[in-house]
Every structure is written in C-alpha cells, then in structure tokens.
Amino acid sequence: MIRGNDKNFFGTDTTVPARIRGAWEGRVSGCLLGKPLEVLSFKEGREGLESYLREAGAFPLRDYVPLLEGTLVDRLGRQCCRGHISRAEPDDDINYTVLALLLLEDRGADLATEDVARAWLRLLPAGTTWTAERWAYRVLLDNMDDEFVNGDPPGFDLSLCSDNDFNEWIGAQIRADLYGWVCPGRPALAADLASRDAALSHRGEGVYGAAFVAALAAAIPVSETFADSIDIALGFIPEGSDAASAVRFGRALAGSHDAVDRLHAEYRGLSPVHTINNLALVVWALCSSGGDFSAAIGNAVAAGWDTDCNSATVGGLFGLTGKPVPRSWTTPWQGRVAVSLAGYSEMLLDDLVGRTVAVERSLH
C-alpha cells in the first residue's frame, strides 16, 4: 500500500538535469536534517530521539532540528541545527556520493572494485570510515602491494576486505545512490555499478541493499507510479533475500498508524546500522509521504536508527521524482557542500550537479 494517489508522488520537472539537481538537493538536505540526531539515536534509541524532538516542539519533524542548549545535540550537531546552518557540514554519506561521482568521471562504466579500493586509498581519510569500510581499509593497508594504489594488481585476494563482521550493515547502501542517478531507465547498470562498489567491504544483504537503492533511483524517472519503480528495483535483488522482504514490509506499512512501532518490533535485536531494518524504514518513509518531501525526510529521521543515512537516501530518491525540493530546505546551506576528501574541503551544488549531468551523458 502507498499512501495517497501514487501518481501524485511525481512532479513535472522531469528533465535529467532537474532530476539530478533534485537528487543532490534532497540528499544533502536529508543528511543535514538527520546529522545532529544520529548519535542521540544510537545512544538513547527511538525513545530518547522522540523525547528530544517533543521537548523542542518539533514532533512531527518537518523542518531542521531546533537546538536545545546543553544537550548531546548541542555538543555534536550545533552547526546542523535550525538557525545555525551556513553550509552542509562534512558527513560520510555525502563523502561517498562525491566519491562515486569522482570514480565515474575517471572510470565510467568500466568501474571495478579495484578502482574503488584505489580511490579510497588516495582520497578517503581512514578516520572518516566506520565498521565495514574501516575493516576493509585496514585489510588493504596490511596486505596490498606497494604499487597497488598506482595501478598494479592488489597482490592479494581483494575479497578478504569484505570478510568482516559488518558486511551486512548499512555502509554499502549509503554509497549507492549516485549510480542510479546517472543511469535513468537502466536499473541493471545502476545495480551492477553499486554492487561493484559494495563488494569491496560488503557481502550478501549488504550488497543487495545497495543494489536495490541504485536500481530504484534508476527506475523512478521511467516509472508511471512509485509502486512501479519499487517493483522494477526488486527485480535486481534475490526474491528470497532479507533485503527484498524488508522492501515489501516497508511498503506494506504505508498508511499504518503504528508503522514505526511495527518496524522496531520486526527488527528488534538488529544493529541500528544494519542494512535490513534501515532499508525497510527508507521504503516506508517514501511510500507514506503522500508526495510531501518534508514528511518523507522528517519521518525517516524521527523513526530512529541511522537518522542521517536514511534521510539522505530518502531525500535523494524523492528528488528524482520531478517534484522540487522546497526552498526552506536548501536556502540555509546556500549551495555549500562540505566534504572531507583529500583535495576537497567544500564543493558547490551547481558544480556537483553539472558534473553529475556530464557523467550521465557520458554513460548514456
């Protein structure tokens, strides 16, 4: 079930450049919304998150997070709170989206997992990685031939990098979006590119989550309804996988008054940064939004777990629909996107959009 008229989910500004701009605006805004609440969500769970939002007068969440002085949010996320935003602050979710852009500019459709590894070594500071990515990074440094970063073979079985305890967590899913943005109408290529990237650090459900998100992003521009785009994307992951079940579960919850309770009950015991629970939440947030961007990302954050990752993914996917992202979300960060990649500290939205459009054209 999808709340409201499914066809109303889509807008009218459907050129490729407009969709890509919407995807960047939606992803950055969503990430910025969820960022100040991420650690609070991990430390205090859904209850602590909702308590903060209610005390701040921001539940349901439909704008940037208000700042309550002296709180964990104040200490860790002040620059991302309403009235204190001047740019989109650095975050791994956006780092990986920019990194995917740089990879495709360099390698195009020939992108291989080895290329992803070399890009990490050259551009991605190890201290900005977490869980599966940090493990993979450590394995690379411990085992690679000295000249691997300069183009030589790795000198060891690269699949050892994904042999870790976190390989079904959310890391690969947050790296996947842009592969779909640049492949409108070609979900197979989008899923394949995302899977090649994911394979460096993830296996199984971790890869399937990434492939689904990329395929969904590629399907949205050529679908008549959002339900159609979900069905298309499901065709690129195993039908019996936990990821596919999570997608179906999230879609079925749309319109249910107790959807968030049921999400947390269904996935009780899973890490808050696992692929499966967060994928179900992403699909639910999109399907239950009624075509309202603020509701989509606000609900994705307020539901808990990985707040910035989920809201970034929801925002980027929503931006592909042809509906404009409201100016109230983009004006505060002024087109300034901070990153923490070697050689890059801050990028401009217009530049990111133009370069992404150029990649789409080169792949097309």
Side-chain angles (χ1 to χ4, degrees):
M1 177 179 178
I2 294 180
R3 180 172 171 264
N5 185 336
D6 194 12
K7 291 188 177 181
N8 289 341
F9 192 90
F10 292 89
T12 57
D13 199 351
T14 56
T15 65
V16 169
R19 289 188 194 270
I20 287 176
R21 176 173 291 276
W24 272 112
E25 289 179 344
R27 183 163 178 79
V28 173
S29 298
C31 181
L32 188 57
L33 175 63
K35 185 175 177 64
L37 297 171
E38 179 183 24
V39 176
L40 176 66
S41 176
F42 294 160
K43 286 182 175 292
E44 299 184 19
R46 175 188 166 202
E47 294 76 14
L49 173 61
E50 186 172 321
S51 175
Y52 180 95
L53 292 175
R54 289 188 182 278
E55 184 178 350
F59 191 86
L61 185 60
R62 297 294 184 265
D63 196 353
Y64 285 115
V65 176
L67 179 67
L68 296 180
E69 302 282 349
T71 62
L72 183 65
V73 171
D74 182 13
R75 183 165 67 87
L76 298 178
R78 185 181 188 91
Q79 291 175 297
C80 302
C81 288
R82 191 189 312 171
H84 299 271
I85 298 167
S86 61
R87 66 175 189 172
E89 295 299 320
D91 190 272
D92 57 344
D93 295 88
I94 305 304
N95 279 347
Y96 287 121
T97 310
V98 173
L99 194 59
L101 172 61
L102 298 174
L103 279 163
L104 291 174
E105 286 180 327
D106 182 41
R107 301 298 298 153
D110 294 329
L111 175 71
T113 304
E114 290 185 5
D115 299 317
V116 179
R118 293 189 184 100
W120 284 17
L121 292 164
R122 292 196 307 267
L123 298 170
L124 184 65
T128 65
T129 62
W130 305 96
T131 61
E133 286 76 16
R134 185 171 291 185
W135 182 282
Y137 213 129
R138 184 182 296 115
V139 173
L140 276 172
L141 292 173
D142 286 346
N143 294 279
M144 70 180 188
D145 281 356
D146 289 344
E147 291 300 317
F148 170 60
V149 70
N150 295 319
D152 280 3
F156 76 107
D157 183 357
L158 206 61
S159 68
L160 291 174
C161 293
S162 61
D163 185 11
N164 63 74
D165 292 339
F166 318 107
N167 60 20
E168 292 192 331
W169 287 16
I170 199 173
Q173 188 166 290
I174 72 172
R175 295 169 8 215
D177 298 50
L178 189 133
Y179 296 116
W181 301 357
V182 297
C183 294
R186 292 188 290 171
L189 177 58
D192 189 29
L193 289 169
S195 297
R196 295 180 218 170
D197 185 317
L200 179 60
S201 52
H202 286 69
R203 296 180 180 180
E205 304 296 339
V207 176
Y208 302 152
F212 174 82
V213 166
L216 181 60
I220 287 172
V222 294
S223 299
E224 291 189 7
T225 68
F226 190 61
D228 290 343
S229 63
I230 291 176
D231 289 338
I232 291 169
L234 278 170
F236 295 94
I237 61 174
E239 183 178 359
S241 64
D242 289 344
S245 295
V247 171
R248 292 190 289 266
F249 183 64
R251 176 162 61 177
L253 290 179
S256 299
H257 71 280
D258 59 348
V260 178
D261 290 335
R262 291 169 63 184
L263 279 166
H264 281 263
E266 178 74 13
Y267 298 112
R268 183 179 293 112
L270 274 188
S271 165
V273 291
H274 200 282
T275 293
I276 299 307
N277 48 355
N278 287 288
L279 181 59
L281 190 157
V282 162
V283 173
W284 163 75
L286 283 163
C287 290
S288 62
S289 69
D292 181 337
F293 178 82
S294 300
I297 63 171
N299 291 345
V301 170
W305 293 327
D306 202 333
T307 55
D308 61 334
C309 293
N310 291 336
S311 189
T313 300
V314 168
L317 291 168
F318 192 106
L320 293 167
T321 64
K323 276 196 169 183
V325 174
R327 295 301 95 190
S328 59
W329 290 103
T330 58
T331 298
W333 48 274
Q334 307 174 83
R336 301 172 59 200
V337 182
V339 294
S340 46
L341 298 171
Y344 302 89
S345 58
E346 185 175 295
M347 305 182 77
L348 297 178
L349 173 66
D350 287 346
D351 183 49
L352 289 168
V353 171
R355 291 170 67 171
T356 308
V357 170
V359 168
E360 187 276 336
R361 289 172 177 163
S362 70
L363 291 175
H364 186 71

